[in-house]
């Protein structure tokens, strides 16, 4: 059977849900970040599926939107990993269960 | 997007991508999880090719696999005493329950909606094709303001990341005496 819009949307939804579970349940801050990246990728997949299958007048619009989400995701990853390294310098751990103080 | 080839490619990619995403959840070693994350990113780039977005597939491979995954690996290697353990926190059960509920609701909405898509069989020559040059023209004409804002955002993120990871000795050196 030829894959249609709902197949791509289903893959995006399952990817988003697994990224959500990873982001909420991992103990290592870098693991949490990997879940967030997975969710962003699932959203990109969904946006591109809509852009490809919907009969809009300008199919390039959806792809331009994905370019901007990739940009924001790259900025987010850089700052979040810098935060993880910085927290590790001060606390010697990036276990999110142990990072429960607003000041150290 | 027609025929058996697209279907085989789709189901293979779906299997690889979803198994790799599940492997991130279940692998005990953080480095293995990062490698599975790279596999997931490559699978999603394959989906982009299937959706006839070749430029974005290349951008996905270069940015996610080439830059972000390497950044994550660097962060893992820069935090040696934090351990390579990829274990779960105390919130494992509520997190998985919430994710399953979210996925079930979204999947129900996807299957229950009659999506207004382009008819694929009669209008194959009408299929929306976006070349990289079209995307570039759109980014520099219609989307020029968000494009410039994105460059400002990237510069701010770059400066912020460098400031955050400076060691205290470097900060002391830069202080005006």
């Amino acid at each position: 059977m030829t894959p249609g819009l709902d197949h791509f949307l289903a893959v995006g939804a399952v990817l988003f849900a697994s990224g959500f579970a990873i982001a909420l349940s991992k103990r290592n801050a870098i693991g949490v970040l990997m879940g967030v990246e997975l969710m962003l990728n699932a959203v990109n997949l969904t946006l591109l599926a809509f852009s490809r299958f919907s009969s809009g007048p300008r199919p390039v619009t959806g792809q331009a939107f994905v370019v901007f989400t990739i940009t924001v995701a790259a900025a987010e990853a850089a700052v979040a990993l810098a935060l993880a390294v910085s927290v590790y310098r001060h606390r010697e751990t990036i276990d999110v269960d142990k990072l429960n103080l607003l000041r150290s | 997007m027609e025929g058996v080839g697209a279907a085989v490619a789709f189901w293979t990619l779906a299997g690889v991508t979803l198994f790799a995403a599940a492997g991130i959840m279940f692998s005990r070693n953080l480095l293995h999880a990062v490698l599975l994350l790279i596999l997931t990113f490559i699978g999603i780039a394959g989906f982009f090719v299937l959706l006839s977005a070749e430029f974005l597939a290349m951008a996905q491979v270069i940015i996610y696999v080439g830059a972000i995954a390497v950044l994550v690996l660097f962060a893992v290697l820069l935090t040696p005493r934090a351990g390579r353990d990829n274990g779960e926190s105390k919130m494992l059960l509520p997190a998985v329950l919430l994710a399953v509920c979210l996925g079930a609701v979204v999947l129900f909405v996807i299957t229950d909606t009659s999506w207004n898509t382009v008819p694929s069989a009669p209008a194959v020559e009408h299929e929306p094709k976006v070349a990289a040059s079209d995307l570039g023209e759109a980014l520099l004409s219609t989307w020029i303001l968000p494009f410039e804002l994105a460059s400002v955002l990237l510069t701010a993120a770059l400066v912020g990341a460098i400031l955050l990871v400076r060691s205290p000795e470097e900060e002391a050196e830069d202080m005006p005496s």
Side-chain angles (χ1 to χ4, degrees), chain B residues 98-174:
Chain B
L98 204 57
V100 168
C101 290
L102 179 79
V105 168
V106 176
L107 281 176
F108 172 72
V109 171
I110 288 169
T111 49
D112 201 48
T113 312
S114 59
W115 297 102
N116 181 20
T117 57
V118 281
S120 58
V124 173
E125 74 275 9
H126 227 267
E127 194 168 297
K129 268 285 180 189
V130 180
S133 55
D134 298 337
L135 194 56
E137 271 175 30
L139 279 180
L140 285 178
S141 56
T142 318
W143 308 105
I144 183 70
L145 187 63
F147 183 77
E148 297 294 338
L149 280 177
S151 62
V152 173
L153 173 75
L154 278 179
T155 315
L158 185 70
V159 174
I162 292 173
L163 267 181
L164 276 174
V165 295
R166 286 203 319 169
S167 60
E169 301 90 60
E170 283 171 335
E171 279 178 25
E173 277 176 19
D174 290 351

Side-chain angles (χ1 to χ4, degrees), chain A:
Chain A
M1 68 204 272
T2 309
L5 173 61
D6 44 355
H7 295 95
F8 284 97
L9 292 185
V11 170
V14 175
L15 271 181
F16 189 91
S18 52
F20 189 69
I22 290 167
L24 285 187
S25 71
K26 285 298 171 192
R27 206 166 46 197
N28 195 310
I30 296 173
V32 174
L33 194 77
M34 291 199 292
V36 175
E37 293 296 329
L38 208 55
M39 284 197 277
L40 282 163
N41 262 284
V43 171
N44 280 349
L45 180 62
T46 308
L47 282 174
L48 266 185
F50 277 123
S51 149
R52 163 69 181 70
F53 284 102
S54 68
S55 48
R58 297 191 49 149
V60 76
T61 307
Q63 300 206 6
F65 207 98
V66 172
V67 169
F68 291 122
T69 49
I70 288 180
T71 314
V72 174
E76 175 260 352
V79 173
L81 289 170
L83 272 175
V85 172
S86 181
V87 165
Y88 174 78
R89 282 232 181 96
H90 287 104
R91 302 287 305 273
E92 293 259 315
T93 180
I94 45 172
D95 186 337
V96 291
D97 277 347
K98 291 181 188 150
L99 300 177
N100 51 9
L101 291 176
L102 282 179
R103 57 180 296 276
S104 57

Side-chain angles (χ1 to χ4, degrees), chain B residues 23-47:
Chain B
I24 301 173
M25 187 76 188
F26 294 118
S27 74
R28 291 274 67 89
N29 190 325
L30 195 60
L31 283 173
H32 295 171
V34 178
L35 295 179
L36 285 167
L37 186 73
I38 293 176
L39 187 59
T40 316
F41 287 160
I42 292 174
I44 290 173
F47 280 123

